[in-house]
Amino acid sequence: MPAAKSSKDEAIDAITDVFREFGFDGASLSRLSEASGLGRSSLYHYFPNGKDDMAQAAVERVSERASELVIGPLRAPGDPAMRVKAAAGGIAKFYEGGRANCLVNLFAFGEAGEAAPGAAKDMAAGLEDAFCAVARDAGFSPKEARLKAEHAIVEIEGALVVSRAQGSVAPFQRALARLPGVLTDR
Amino acid sequence: MPAAKSSKDEAIDAITDVFREFGFDGASLSRLSEASGLGRSSLYHYFPNGKDDMAQAAVERVSERASELVIGPLRAPGDPAMRVKAAAGGIAKFYEGGRANCLVNLFAFGEAGEAAPGAAKDMAAGLEDAFCAVARDAGFSPKEARLKAEHAIVEIEGALVVSRAQGSVAPFQRALARLPGVLTDR
DNA sequence: GTCTATAATAGGATAGAC
DNA sequence: GTCTATCCTATTATAGAC
């Protein structure tokens, strides 16, 4: 069985939510402290470099979830289109049905240093690689598969932006429904 | 001939660039002052409500450009696919080839009040309406055309996010090349 | 590890002279 | 319209006691 979550572990969950909701600049220490239930001093005890460390921990947490929910299903054996459908379900969970934001987008702005945005970019690259592999399994050339994978990421990121702007998850859901076609249709 | 640009008019251009590069929170008065060449007091003379007024002026400026560069070509007479191609050229200019960001995305985060994000959303809605009209001209039902227009906006917003994250405009350029297909192909 | 207190800075915004 | 000076607040971050 999994070990009981440590205090730091639970704090990272709360911290991650704050970054995803408010972005790097908007995630003030006050908000991070309140959400995590840790005082300022405790936060600096766990994260000596302050916000930058917290942002990095958030990206790591989010990357783990992406591996479980999205990359795992994509790498499973079976029909490529079915794997994409399974992954779409994972993506929906990962982004809370379209209500959560993507750290790749959020950390591209603001005073975040180098580490967190870089790690977020790496996560996106890993996702794209997994999409690429599934497109290759569907019979596409490496070049074609790479473009299809990029297209899939574009759809997801764009749908999140549009859904947030419109205050409705419908565009995100529709984009997810398009994903199998984007990745496996000729 | 157009009248000479006023001091305020030129300032709005500079201010718009700052918001597009740094987002609302990142656009500090120091940056806005330096970029516009106006002291703090002058900024508050032109924009009594401070940053919120400046952000609104930026959205207005950007909306005008979107009308000229994108909505105009979309509404021109002629073959729908050709109109979309012309609009794609305008979109490339509007987003500086993929290097500039979208205020709809940027103003969805941070301390921006209600007015500027709302105006940005209205601009996006106007763009979507124009896309929708061109899809209808291409023979699609109102419902189909609406979905295609949404899809086009999703592609553009997503491509901007991906291009920014990767530090390359290639994904944006490829998304633009897909636009005619998205809007006019069965 | 957590507390209280506090530093040090930057932020947005205003007042009044010119 | 622009300048200088200033205020208030919030921010990140640290120090030292417990």
Side-chain angles (χ1 to χ4, degrees):
Chain A
M1 50 185 157
K5 282 195 171 182
S6 72
S7 164
K8 176 174 181 177
D9 217 54
E10 288 176 11
I12 291 178
D13 281 334
I15 284 168
T16 301
D17 289 342
V18 173
F19 277 117
R20 284 183 106 180
E21 181 170 355
F22 297 102
F24 187 84
D25 290 350
S28 67
L29 284 177
S30 308
R31 279 177 173 149
L32 292 162
S33 171
E34 188 185 17
S36 64
L38 295 175
R40 280 169 147 67
S41 297
S42 301
L43 284 177
Y44 278 94
H45 173 74
Y46 290 126
F47 309 99
N49 286 340
K51 273 181 76 171
D52 283 329
D53 278 3
M54 299 181 217
Q56 235 181 308
V59 175
E60 284 165 21
R61 178 59 45 92
V62 152
S63 298
E64 291 162 16
R65 277 180 61 82
S67 281
E68 296 165 18
L69 291 170
V70 188
I71 296 179
L74 287 175
R75 290 201 178 138
D79 172 61
M82 295 305 294
R83 283 149 61 192
V84 174
K85 281 206 178 71
I91 294 168
K93 262 191 199 156
F94 180 75
Y95 289 112
E96 292 167 30
R99 274 170 291 273
N101 302 120
C102 181
L103 292 182
V104 174
N105 183 12
L106 286 167
F107 284 176
F109 301 96
E111 307 293 325
E114 294 284 281
K121 192 184 151 182
D122 290 346
M123 173 187 61
L127 210 66
E128 189 179 309
D129 287 346
F131 280 139
C132 186
V134 95
R136 291 207 59 182
D137 290 350
F140 292 97
S141 74
K143 268 193 172 178
E144 288 172 319
R146 180 56 58 185
L147 292 177
K148 286 189 161 297
E150 175 187 289
H151 189 178
I153 305 274
V154 164
E155 290 257 4
I156 293 166
E157 294 290 347
L160 288 169
V161 171
V162 170
S163 277
R164 174 161 182 109
Q166 297 191 1
S168 157
V169 298
F172 178 74
Q173 298 292 341
R174 285 190 277 265
L176 285 189
R178 284 194 295 267
L179 265 197
V182 166
L183 285 165
T184 65
D185 283 5
R186 172 61 60 180
Chain B
M1 49 187 158
K5 282 195 171 181
S6 73
S7 164
K8 176 173 181 178
D9 217 54
E10 287 176 11
I12 292 177
D13 280 335
I15 285 167
T16 301
D17 289 343
V18 173
F19 277 117
R20 283 183 105 179
E21 183 170 355
F22 298 102
F24 186 85
D25 289 351
S28 67
L29 284 178
S30 308
R31 279 176 173 149
L32 293 163
S33 170
E34 188 185 16
S36 64
L38 295 175
R40 278 170 146 69
S41 296
S42 301
L43 283 178
Y44 278 93
H45 173 75
Y46 290 126
F47 308 100
N49 286 340
K51 273 180 77 171
D52 283 330
D53 278 3
M54 299 181 218
Q56 235 181 308
V59 176
E60 284 166 20
R61 178 58 46 91
V62 152
S63 297
E64 292 163 14
R65 277 180 61 82
S67 281
E68 297 165 17
L69 291 170
V70 188
I71 297 180
L74 286 175
R75 290 201 179 140
D79 171 63
M82 295 305 293
R83 283 150 61 193
V84 174
K85 281 203 177 73
I91 294 167
K93 264 191 199 155
F94 181 75
Y95 290 111
E96 292 167 29
R99 274 168 292 274
N101 303 119
C102 183
L103 292 181
V104 174
N105 183 12
L106 286 167
F107 285 176
F109 301 97
E111 307 292 325
E114 296 282 282
K121 193 185 150 181
D122 290 346
M123 173 185 63
L127 210 65
E128 189 178 308
D129 287 346
F131 281 138
C132 186
V134 95
R136 291 208 58 182
D137 290 350
F140 292 97
S141 75
K143 266 193 174 178
E144 289 172 318
R146 179 57 57 187
L147 291 177
K148 286 188 162 295
E150 176 188 287
H151 189 177
I153 304 274
V154 164
E155 291 257 6
I156 293 167
E157 294 291 346
L160 288 170
V161 171
V162 171
S163 277
R164 174 162 183 108
Q166 298 193 0
S168 157
V169 298
F172 178 74
Q173 298 292 341
R174 284 190 278 265
L176 284 190
R178 284 194 296 267
L179 265 197
V182 166
L183 285 165
T184 66
D185 282 5
R186 173 61 59 182

